[in-house]
Structures are given as structure tokens and as C-alpha cells.
Amino acid sequence: MKYSIFLPEATGEFKNKMTRLVDLSLNRSAVSSSKPIPLWTSDFFNLSHSAYWLKLNEVEQRLLLEENSAELLKEAICIEHAGIAYAQKMGLTAKTQEERHYYTAIALEEMQHLLLLKDFYHVDPSRHATGFPRLISSIIQDENRQEALVLIQIILEGWGISYYADLLRGCENQDIKIVFERILKDESRHHAGGIILYQNSPITEDASLLKSIQILVDFVRIGPQQVTVSLCRALNIFEWHEIAQVLNSINALQTTNEKLIGLNKIISKVLTLEQTQRINFNPFSLEKMAEVSHDFLNKSKIPVATKDIDL
């Protein structure tokens, strides 16, 4: 059975009517589209003490924070889209009525998360989803039920608990703080439910699962690529050795290692010690992180100050 994860948006009056039907079903009022985008602080992105950040003037710093804040919202929205599809897949493949009812409830919660986030920013994931949401989409699309349960509901929902907690601390916008508090509460329950379901039917064959887990972990091991790329663009830095210095200035190794320690703890909830030890949780070297950023940057040498930002 195949699933289309990131569907295209409807257009015109049909889109308006369907949106209205959803709002009525959720007893949701129409929301003004003039709400300003929330901004995360330079401290959140580990920029404040970077000598490269301090080279930017106030306008350039503001543009960089806008770009990276928009990317945070874009990623969260795409992940919520994928979360709806995940719950629908799990409901369709459920083995008991209780499981189907449970995943129907999760799909509704993910839908509510999505609409709350779209009040602040709009993105069409069928056209704009980036690497990590697309990886999640491929897991939902291609993995069997039990592996999707481990990868999405246990590992990624567990990761989401600390991720949304960080988003809460790093943004001063009170309206979106309320949204993330709601999402954080629901993600905690989804993660706990995933563990209950896994314990009822654990995976015995682990080769394919461990390979998929390593791919997820590698997305963290590669370090803070988005903020690195945007900072390098702002300063017209395109040589890999200086990109490595930029990464060092924002403490990329330390912060990445901290995230990997947290990810290790989550994965250890469902894997044995021997299985967990087969996963590489070491951060990529600064040189390897810089190499990835270098390849991305040199595909399009567009300084952020002259780039159109869709906000």
C-alpha cells in the first residue's frame, strides 16, 4: 500500500470551501493573515558570541534571524503534515479497534498543530519541503508498520519533546509559545504511546531498522547546516576551510554532541545495548560539516542580503 505524504494544495474557490469545512469541523475561527513571523534569538542559534555574527550590521543580523526563524517554522509545518499522514497510515493498518481509534485521535491532534503553526507561516510542503521532512516522508511511505512506529513515533516524537522545548525557550513571541506548549504536551503522549505499542509487539529482525536509524542520526551528526549556510552567505564565505571556522565559532561540535547524547537516550528505550552500540553517535568532524556546507553554498552563490525571503 502506497501513501502520498506531501499532497499539492487545492486552488481557488474549492480551496476556500474545503478550508472553511475544516475550520467548521474543528470549531475554529478564521485567523488574520497579518500576524508577524516569530523570531528566534541569536542565542538560540549560538550566534551571539561568534566573531562572524558580530561582523554583520543590524539589518543583516535581522535578515539572518528572519531567514532562520522562517526555516524553523517551515520544517515544523512540513513535519506536522507528515505526522497526519503517519497517523492515517497507522490507523489503516491497525490490528485492533483500539489502535485505530488511538491513531484517529493522533491524526486530529497533528491537524490541530498544523493549523496553529500555519497561523504564523505558510508553506506548501509538496514544493518546499527540505531534506529532513522528506526523509520522514520516505519513512512513512516506504517502511513497514513496526519500523515506522520506532522511527517516527518513538525516536522522532521523542526527539520532538526536546526540540519543541528548545523552541519554547528560544523565542520571545508569547502567542507561539502557547502553540509550542500545546504541541509539546501532545508529543509527550504520542511518544509514550509508541513505546506501549512497541512493547506489545517488538521487532526481532534489526538489520534494516538499524540502517534506517543511522540515517536519522546522521542528520543530527552533520551539525547546524542551515544557520551555517545563511551566515556564510551573508558574509560571502564560500571556502571550506573558513566555513569550518564559522562552524567552530558557533560551537557546532559541542551543540551537536549534546543533541546526539539526547538522541542516544531515546533510542536506548527500544534497542538493546548491543544494538545501540552499533549506531554511530559521534558528531561529524568540523571538516566534514564544512564540506557539506561548502557543497550546498557553491550550488548557488547568493548573499542572503539580496535574496528574496518568503515570509
Side-chain angles (χ1 to χ4, degrees), residues 48-76:
S48 298
H49 301 292
S50 167
Y52 293 94
W53 167 256
L54 297 175
K55 291 180 181 180
L56 301 177
N57 61 41
E58 289 186 9
V59 173
E60 291 169 330
Q61 289 181 348
R62 174 78 180 190
L63 279 172
L64 191 141
L65 291 180
E66 286 179 353
E67 180 187 26
N68 283 276
S69 295
E71 288 297 325
L72 288 176
L73 290 171
K74 180 193 294 185
E75 184 172 83

Side-chain angles (χ1 to χ4, degrees), residues 118-267:
K118 285 176 70 174
D119 290 345
F120 296 91
Y121 189 77
H122 179 76
V123 60
D124 180 358
S126 67
R127 294 187 296 125
H128 300 131
T130 53
F132 189 59
R134 289 197 177 280
L135 172 62
I136 295 173
S137 172
S138 68
I139 291 171
I140 298 168
Q141 187 89 23
D142 301 330
E143 301 290 352
N144 64 44
R145 176 184 171 85
Q146 277 301 90
E147 292 199 2
L149 172 70
V150 173
L151 295 166
I152 301 294
Q153 196 167 345
I154 296 178
I155 296 177
L156 290 178
E157 297 265 20
W159 171 260
I161 295 170
S162 59
Y163 178 72
Y164 282 117
D166 286 342
L167 291 180
L168 259 172
R169 288 190 292 268
C171 186
E172 297 175 355
N173 182 295
Q174 293 303 313
D175 290 333
I176 205 165
K177 277 181 174 287
I178 293 171
V179 173
F180 285 131
E181 286 170 354
R182 162 73 181 277
I183 295 176
L184 187 57
K185 180 179 178 181
D186 291 344
E187 297 287 339
S188 297
R189 283 189 290 98
H190 298 172
H191 174 65
I195 292 175
I196 291 171
L197 286 162
Y198 179 80
Q199 289 173 341
N200 187 57
S201 182
I203 293 175
T204 53
E205 176 55 50
D206 63 11
S208 174
L209 177 62
L210 292 182
K211 181 179 179 181
S212 297
I213 291 175
Q214 185 66 68
I215 292 172
L216 280 179
V217 173
D218 285 348
F219 262 84
V220 181
R221 295 175 66 215
I222 204 63
Q225 291 297 313
Q226 169 57 38
V227 68
T228 302
V229 166
S230 61
L231 185 54
C232 288
R233 275 180 175 160
L235 294 167
N236 289 315
I237 294 172
F238 298 102
E239 299 301 325
W240 77 265
H241 63 276
E242 192 167 4
I243 297 170
Q245 294 174 13
V246 171
L247 282 157
N248 189 52
S249 78
I250 60 174
N251 297 321
L253 283 179
Q254 177 183 337
T255 57
T256 300
N257 189 57
E258 290 170 356
K259 291 177 180 178
L260 288 165
I261 290 172
L263 194 54
N264 190 325
K265 290 179 180 178
I266 295 166
I267 292 171

Side-chain angles (χ1 to χ4, degrees), residues 249-300:
S249 78
I250 60 174
N251 297 321
L253 283 179
Q254 177 183 337
T255 57
T256 300
N257 189 57
E258 290 170 356
K259 291 177 180 178
L260 288 165
I261 290 172
L263 194 54
N264 190 325
K265 290 179 180 178
I266 295 166
I267 292 171
S268 297
K269 293 181 181 180
V270 290
L271 297 186
T272 65
L273 177 61
E274 189 274 332
Q275 289 172 323
T276 304
Q277 289 175 338
R278 288 158 62 187
I279 305 294
N280 187 346
F281 288 99
N282 295 313
F284 282 24
S285 66
L286 283 178
E287 290 73 20
K288 178 62 176 177
M289 291 182 185
E291 181 182 333
V292 175
S293 293
H294 175 268
D295 291 344
F296 187 85
L297 278 162
N298 282 275
K299 289 178 182 178
S300 177

